[in-house]
Amino acid sequence: MDHKQVLSLLLLAAVWLPPCGGTPERDGGGWASGSEVGLQDEGPCSIDVLDAASLTHRQFIERYAYTRPVILTGITDNTKFRLLCSKTNLLGSFGDRSIRLSTANTHSYKKVDVPFREYVDVLLKPQSADALGSDTLYFFGDNNFTEWSPLFDQYQPPPYGLPGTTAAYSFGVAGPGSGVPFHWHGPGFSEVLYGRKRWFLYPPDQEPHFHPNRTTLSWLQETYPVLPPEEAPLECTIRPGEVLFFPDRWWHATLNLDTSVFMSTFLG
């Protein structure tokens, strides 16, 4: 049975799965939670959090699309996709597939190809605060859309687009304490399927103080506590089913508080 047939069977199981305890959604999908005390702190939330039912597409464009981030709840229902992203299901369908890892520094200099199972079994572990970004391998983006299309085809992207743009997916899995230091690019959405992801954002004209080869975890422990109030970032922690939108050219850094499975939809 090939991986497309396996995914079809798993999707049928998701359709009929009863909403009771023991599902991957209830137990974190088999992925590890944060093991350090510091990773239990979700921090404050200074970003608007809205039920998508209360925000029309036009209001999204007028209030947020070009000016500030927003977190939307209830914007999509990816329950079936989330089930397919449990640890058991992803390893069963893609364990032997090669994935491309990037170093977790601002400029992502290095790329390494490894089997997905090796990444999960060997490299997917809690991040050390003293590790350098150039020594940390991170699975996010550079996806083989031909091999992963049976999975990605099940994803329901946010329905809010921007005029003149098209959407491109970037899927990832990363361990507790990992993340990407401050960088910027075009606008997009980010959804967490499992775990929790803490976000820090600055507008384009407010470049944050950071070292491009130091991790977000080290920045959080060393720089964040001494920031004056006027230099504090916008921030929030998003959880499964929540979608964060970030506008064009906004600086942002991420920190995975648990082993996180996530999908970003870039608009370009």
Side-chain angles (χ1 to χ4, degrees):
M1 181 179 295
D2 62 26
H3 71 289
K4 289 187 177 181
Q5 292 172 311
V6 170
L7 278 172
S8 295
L9 291 175
L10 289 172
L11 184 57
L12 286 174
V15 172
W16 292 104
L17 191 67
C20 60
T23 68
E25 290 90 340
R26 303 277 179 158
D27 64 11
W31 303 104
S33 61
S35 58
E36 297 182 14
V37 174
L39 295 180
Q40 301 310 312
D41 182 9
E42 295 187 352
C45 186
S46 52
I47 299 173
D48 290 349
V49 181
L50 300 175
D51 186 329
S54 68
L55 186 73
T56 67
H57 190 193
R58 180 176 179 177
Q59 290 171 331
F60 166 75
I61 294 293
E62 293 173 347
R63 300 177 187 176
Y64 298 102
Y66 304 104
T67 57
R68 54 182 170 146
V70 63
I71 296 170
L72 300 170
T73 63
I75 190 170
T76 57
D77 181 2
N78 276 303
T79 303
K80 298 173 187 177
F81 183 77
R82 187 175 299 120
L83 175 65
L84 296 176
C85 291
S86 71
K87 184 176 181 179
T88 297
N89 289 342
L90 278 186
L91 286 175
S93 299
F94 300 101
D96 297 329
R97 302 284 174 171
S98 179
I99 60 171
R100 177 155 294 177
L101 309 179
S102 302
T103 49
N105 50 350
T106 293
H107 304 295
S108 295
Y109 294 110
K110 183 179 178 182
K111 304 286 185 179
V112 177
D113 293 340
V114 299
F116 180 60
R117 188 179 305 278
E118 179 180 335
Y119 173 69
V120 171
D121 292 344
V122 179
L123 299 173
L124 194 64
K125 55 187 179 182
Q127 172 76 55
S128 171
D130 57 4
L132 295 177
S134 57
D135 297 325
T136 304
L137 293 173
Y138 194 81
F139 174 40
F140 176 54
D142 286 313
N143 305 124
N144 185 321
F145 287 93
T146 300
E147 293 184 350
W148 289 73
S149 62
L151 176 66
F152 294 171
D153 287 347
Q154 306 306 321
Y155 182 68
Q156 299 296 318
Y160 296 165
L162 298 183
T165 65
T166 57
Y169 293 155
S170 285
F171 178 75
V173 181
S178 67
V180 180
F182 283 102
H183 63 288
W184 59 264
H185 44 65
F189 297 90
S190 182
E191 178 172 359
V192 172
L193 286 312
Y194 288 112
R196 297 167 297 154
K197 185 183 287 286
R198 190 171 175 182
W199 282 75
F200 307 92
L201 302 102
Y202 288 94
D205 60 354
Q206 189 178 352
E207 182 174 352
H209 298 289
F210 72 102
H211 190 291
N213 200 29
R214 297 299 301 276
T215 63
T216 304
L217 182 59
S218 66
W219 177 86
L220 178 66
Q221 295 177 343
E222 299 167 11
T223 303
Y224 178 89
V226 296
L227 288 175
E230 65 272 15
E231 295 183 19
L234 290 178
E235 63 175 293
C236 202
T237 294
I238 62 172
R239 304 169 190 82
E242 298 178 337
V243 177
L244 180 141
F245 169 78
F246 50 89
D248 188 28
R249 301 175 67 89
W250 271 62
W251 291 94
H252 55 277
T254 59
L255 177 67
N256 297 295
L257 302 184
D258 311 295
T259 298
S260 298
V261 182
F262 44 94
M263 177 74 90
S264 286
T265 304
F266 294 118
L267 304 175

